[in-house]
């Protein structure tokens, strides 16, 4: 968490506080926060235009929740997660037509030694990483009623389709509303089908040139697999972001986002709401073309990855 603070402070000193309009989409890549499909909320495309968003994320997660005498639950998340996302959205006479394809992969990875060295160099909490095997893959949950273990690499694709409406011209507070449906391939940790509703605020220009946006929504998912008995059918999600214009072509965005727990559990890994903090730089290469780099740190330890790196690219017509 300290590494995120230093990174953000350094960027703030470089950036004068003026309005920025870039949009950030960050996922919680914890294996036990994949049951529901949480949509990516992008900037609303201009009238009769379209946009394409590509992103690639890699997360490292490590937490051993060995439970207590009272909870009788044990959960482990140890490994790396890859996420690739392709999103398309077009606005036609105010209506938003969109689709999103996501691929999520669990792997052993190779970041453990780097993260341990980074934590040791700056005297950060290492959560006993050095006492466990490096580059290990184990995502597991054990209780009296359910047991699941993932120890081999796997990839799963998710598809989401949605219809929305842009309200910016008619409502100064709400920019867009979207309603979508998502399907998922065979995976014990993901619902085969989810329906979701999202609300996205307009961008508010505050004092000293700050810009601020809010988003939120809910998801309903069909239970699935050996953990069906403890899965929450409803999940709520939301976020808030600040934007800064560093230079004519560079924006800094700082964002906090999270969701309610996907499972009914006493374990921190499964049963706690998740929250993350992100700092990202956006670089406009040319009109309509934008590149981004983001660093994500967990706020609620155990419920989201220790660190996530994301690179992204977006194209907007007109």
């Amino acid at each position: 968490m300290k590494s995120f603070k230093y990174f953000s402070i350094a960027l703030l000193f470089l950036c004068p506080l003026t309005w920025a309009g870039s949009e950030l989409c960050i996922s919680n890549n914890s294996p036990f926060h994949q049951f529901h499909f949480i949509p990516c909320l992008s900037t609303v495309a201009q009238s009769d235009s379209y946009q394409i968003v590509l992103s690639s994320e890699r997360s490292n997660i490590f937490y051993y929740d060995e439970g207590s005498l009272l909870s009788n639950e044990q959960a482990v998340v140890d490994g790396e997660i890859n996420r690739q996302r392709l999103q398309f959205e077009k606005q036609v006479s105010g209506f938003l037509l969109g689709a999103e394809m996501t691929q999520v992969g669990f792997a052993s990875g190779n970041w453990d030694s780097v993260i341990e060295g980074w934590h040791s160099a700056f005297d950060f909490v290492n959560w006993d990483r050095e006492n466990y095997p490096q580059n290990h893959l184990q995502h597991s949950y054990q209780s009296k009623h359910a047991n699941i273990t993932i120890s081999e690499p796997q990839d799963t694709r998710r598809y989401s389709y949605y219809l929305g409406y842009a309200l910016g011209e008619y409502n100064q507070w709400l920019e867009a509303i979207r309603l979508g449906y998502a399907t998922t391939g065979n995976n014990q940790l993901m619902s085969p089908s989810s329906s979701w509703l999202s609300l996205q605020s307009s961008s508010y220009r505050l004092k000293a040139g700050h810009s601020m946006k809010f988003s939120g929504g809910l998801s309903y998912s069909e239970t699935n697999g050996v953990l069906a008995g403890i899965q929450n059918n409803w999940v709520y999600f939301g976020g808030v972001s600040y934007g800064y214009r560093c230079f004519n072509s560079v924006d800094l965005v700082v964002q906090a986002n999270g969701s309610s727990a996907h499972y009914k559990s006493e374990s921190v890994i499964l049963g706690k709401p998740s929250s993350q903090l992100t700092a990202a730089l956006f670089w406009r290469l040319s009109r309509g073309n934008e590149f981004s780099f983001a660093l994500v740190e967990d706020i609620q330890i155990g419920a989201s990855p220790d660190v996530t790196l994301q690179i992204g690219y977006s194209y907007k017509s007109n």
Side-chain angles (χ1 to χ4, degrees):
M1 193 65 187
K2 291 182 180 179
S3 58
F4 174 87
K5 294 178 181 177
Y6 295 149
F7 179 73
S8 299
I9 291 172
L11 290 177
L12 287 173
F13 276 114
L14 293 173
C15 301
L17 302 184
T18 57
W19 179 76
S22 299
E23 193 78 19
L24 183 62
C25 178
I26 295 295
S27 303
N28 180 357
N29 290 326
S30 169
F32 291 102
H33 281 259
Q34 304 303 312
F35 173 59
H36 283 261
F37 180 85
I38 307 297
C40 178
L41 302 181
S42 60
T43 302
V44 174
Q46 296 180 1
S47 181
D48 297 324
S49 66
Y50 68 90
Q51 62 180 327
I52 298 173
V53 180
L54 298 167
S55 65
S56 179
E57 300 172 9
R58 190 169 183 88
S59 301
N60 183 283
I61 191 168
F62 176 90
Y63 197 86
Y64 279 68
D65 185 2
E66 298 179 349
S68 66
L69 295 176
L70 297 178
S71 69
N72 196 36
E73 292 178 295
Q74 293 185 343
V76 172
V77 280
D78 186 357
E80 293 182 9
I81 304 96
N82 301 303
R83 180 186 294 268
Q84 285 75 43
R85 178 187 293 109
L86 169 62
Q87 183 187 19
F88 173 85
E89 182 176 282
K90 182 173 178 61
Q91 182 179 160
V92 180
S93 300
F95 288 95
L96 303 174
L97 307 174
E100 181 180 337
M101 182 184 74
T102 305
Q103 179 166 296
V104 181
F106 303 142
S108 55
N110 51 20
W111 283 8
D112 283 351
S113 61
V114 175
I115 293 177
E116 288 176 20
W118 172 263
H119 286 176
S120 299
F122 293 93
D123 197 28
F124 298 159
V125 176
N126 228 350
W127 299 109
D128 294 327
R129 278 177 173 266
E130 63 276 6
N131 296 326
Y132 291 86
Q134 288 190 346
N135 306 327
H136 183 58
L137 172 58
Q138 182 182 350
H139 305 310
S140 62
Y141 171 80
Q142 296 181 351
S143 70
K144 286 184 177 180
H145 308 291
N147 293 276
I148 185 172
T149 298
I150 296 175
S151 58
E152 296 293 332
Q154 57 178 254
D155 295 285
T156 305
R157 288 185 179 179
R158 314 187 83 168
Y159 300 91
S160 179
Y161 311 93
Y162 62 86
L163 176 66
Y165 195 77
L167 299 168
E169 296 182 5
Y170 313 103
N171 190 308
Q172 63 175 332
W173 303 107
L174 188 61
E175 183 179 58
I177 182 170
R178 297 177 176 91
L179 180 64
Y181 178 78
T183 61
T184 304
N186 185 26
N187 190 302
Q188 293 278 343
L189 296 180
M190 303 179 191
S191 173
S193 63
S194 298
S195 301
W196 55 268
L197 171 71
S198 69
L199 302 174
Q200 188 173 9
S201 78
S202 301
S203 184
Y204 309 123
R205 300 191 185 191
L206 308 177
K207 293 182 180 180
H210 297 245
S211 67
M212 188 175 184
K213 295 192 75 170
F214 299 90
S215 63
L218 54 86
S219 169
Y220 176 84
S221 294
E222 177 187 344
T223 56
N224 176 53
V226 297
L227 301 182
I230 61 171
Q231 290 165 347
N232 286 322
N233 290 110
W234 292 95
V235 155
Y236 307 93
F237 56 89
V240 57
S241 64
Y242 276 94
Y244 306 84
R245 173 64 46 83
C246 294
F247 308 102
N248 288 335
S249 59
V250 179
D251 291 347
L252 166 66
V253 175
V254 178
Q255 176 175 292
N257 66 284
S259 74
S260 58
H262 292 218
Y263 295 88
K264 307 177 188 74
S265 171
E266 296 297 322
S267 169
V268 172
I269 294 173
L270 281 76
K272 290 289 185 181
S274 69
S275 52
Q276 300 179 108
L277 201 57
T278 304
L281 282 174
F282 288 81
W283 177 30
R284 284 174 296 283
L285 306 174
S286 61
R287 182 176 177 84
N289 292 277
E290 192 170 62
F291 174 82
S292 64
F293 173 79
L295 170 66
V296 189
E297 283 274 2
D298 56 339
I299 300 176
Q300 174 58 60
I301 297 169
S304 52
D306 297 334
V307 63
T308 297
L309 294 180
Q310 183 199 79
I311 57 173
Y313 167 80
S314 65
Y315 172 77
K316 300 175 184 177
S317 66
N318 296 339

